[in-house]
Amino acid sequence: MKKLDTGRSSAGWSSYGCFRQCPRKFAYENRPDLAGPATRHGGGARALGTFVHDLLARHYLNKAGEGPDPRHLTDGEVEAIAVESGMDLQDPEAAQLLASNYSRFGLYMNSYTNDEWTPLAVEVEHKIGFIERDGQMVTVEHGTPGSVPYTSRVDLVVRDGLGKIWAVDHKTAARIWPNTSLGYGLSGQMHGLWHIGWHHYGANFAGVLLNFFQTKGEIKFERKRPAAAPKMVEEFPRLVWNTAKEIAMWDRFNSLEVWPTSNNESVCVSKYGACDHANRCQFGN
């Protein structure tokens, strides 16, 4: 069974956004020469989300003629995907969530049997660059001299029945809230997808779609546009440019301690729990 890479891209918003939240966390996760190997805790909602992402990727690869139908996976293969995703199947709750969400995945496939999506790319890292010219930010080819890189492993790129191209981002949630699209509309991940889409797909690029998959409670799938944030999209290249320059500044110091900590309760403790590095900042170990 083919192993899929549904993880972070090399220079995407997960990295730049991490730095904006907490430079020290960025260093812990991206500067092993200073901080040692990165420590990320598995399990929980993140692992379940990775598991569902993997199944969705296999589904759309199958639709593109590039892989087997994931409905025909053996129990052992499904469990292997779950373990690779970080799920602890010795935990009865995790084992139950695996079973229920594999079942939900089958219902998802049935719900969208007749959709008009033609997959163009599945979990493909798209790359661009941003550069300042005459005081203006310009999107250029990745690797252009003087540019800063920006990348995104796009969950799915599709062409719809009208010939328009969409960047689709799969989102898993225990519950899909009515205001969810607003939060994602303000996320740099979505703003970066706009610039990726315009550069790679031109005038046929229609925008970003959120593909929601509810993991608990009622069976629910939704496709929504993220809330519009045109000013944030416009200013996004400058944000990435400035962030890359700040990272380069801290890189000139050969010391972990100079990278600032956020010391902010909403950053150090998120909806997933305490930051993976909280003990190192709190106690120095």
Side-chain angles (χ1 to χ4, degrees):
M1 181 176 61
K2 180 182 178 181
K3 180 180 177 181
L4 302 181
D5 187 353
T6 61
R8 301 179 177 191
S9 66
S10 56
W13 186 245
S14 58
S15 294
Y16 287 117
C18 176
F19 179 85
R20 296 253 59 92
Q21 282 190 320
C22 178
R24 182 73 64 85
K25 179 180 179 181
F26 173 89
Y28 283 144
E29 297 188 357
N30 296 277
R31 297 297 182 267
D33 290 346
L34 297 179
T39 301
R40 295 194 182 98
H41 301 307
R46 284 185 288 188
L48 179 58
T50 301
F51 171 68
V52 173
H53 269 71
D54 188 291
L55 294 177
L56 291 170
R58 292 178 190 277
H59 167 53
Y60 287 106
L61 283 170
N62 174 253
K63 287 195 67 174
E66 298 180 18
D69 189 332
R71 287 174 293 191
H72 300 153
L73 293 170
T74 66
D75 290 346
E77 288 172 329
V78 173
E79 290 178 0
I81 293 171
V83 170
E84 184 66 31
S85 300
M87 297 182 72
D88 178 8
L89 299 186
Q90 299 304 310
D91 178 354
E93 181 182 2
Q96 189 277 328
L97 284 172
L98 180 154
S100 67
N101 278 276
Y102 186 60
S103 176
R104 286 172 188 259
F105 168 65
L107 295 173
Y108 171 92
M109 294 176 67
N110 292 337
S111 296
Y112 293 114
T113 298
N114 297 319
D115 71 20
E116 296 183 325
W117 281 6
T118 300
L120 302 180
V122 180
E123 297 293 345
V124 172
E125 185 178 56
H126 291 64
K127 301 180 179 183
I128 55 176
F130 296 127
I131 194 169
E132 185 178 42
R133 289 175 177 165
D134 299 325
Q136 301 295 317
M137 296 306 304
V138 180
T139 303
V140 294
E141 291 294 325
H142 183 268
T144 298
S147 68
V148 300
Y150 187 79
T151 65
S152 180
R153 188 180 310 283
V154 186
D155 289 342
L156 177 64
V157 179
V158 297
R159 179 181 289 110
D160 68 15
L162 299 176
K164 293 296 184 181
I165 295 174
W166 299 86
V168 180
D169 195 68
H170 304 313
K171 296 296 185 188
T172 56
R175 182 175 177 182
I176 302 171
W177 296 94
N179 64 346
T180 305
S181 60
L182 173 61
Y184 285 120
L186 303 181
S187 166
Q189 181 193 13
M190 301 300 122
H191 310 151
L193 286 174
W194 274 101
H195 290 276
I196 290 280
W198 285 328
H199 184 77
H200 284 277
Y201 300 104
N204 285 328
F205 182 68
V208 181
L209 281 176
L210 301 170
N211 187 36
F212 287 104
F213 184 111
Q214 187 161 308
T215 57
K216 296 181 179 180
E218 66 176 309
I219 306 297
K220 192 174 183 180
F221 315 112
E222 288 187 12
R223 291 171 176 174
K224 297 182 179 181
R225 300 283 301 273
K231 186 62 174 176
M232 298 178 85
V233 172
E234 176 189 343
E235 295 180 347
F236 184 75
R238 174 69 64 184
L239 175 62
V240 173
W241 176 264
N242 289 341
T243 302
K245 299 302 181 184
E246 291 178 50
I247 292 171
M249 178 188 72
W250 294 115
D251 272 334
R252 289 197 290 270
F253 299 93
N254 190 31
S255 171
L256 178 67
E257 284 70 28
V258 302
W259 293 75
T261 55
S262 72
N263 295 40
N264 183 291
E265 68 276 10
S266 64
V267 173
C268 298
V269 182
S270 73
K271 65 181 180 179
Y272 296 115
C275 170
D276 291 341
H277 317 287
N279 282 343
R280 298 181 73 175
C281 292
Q282 192 174 358
F283 301 109
N285 54 24

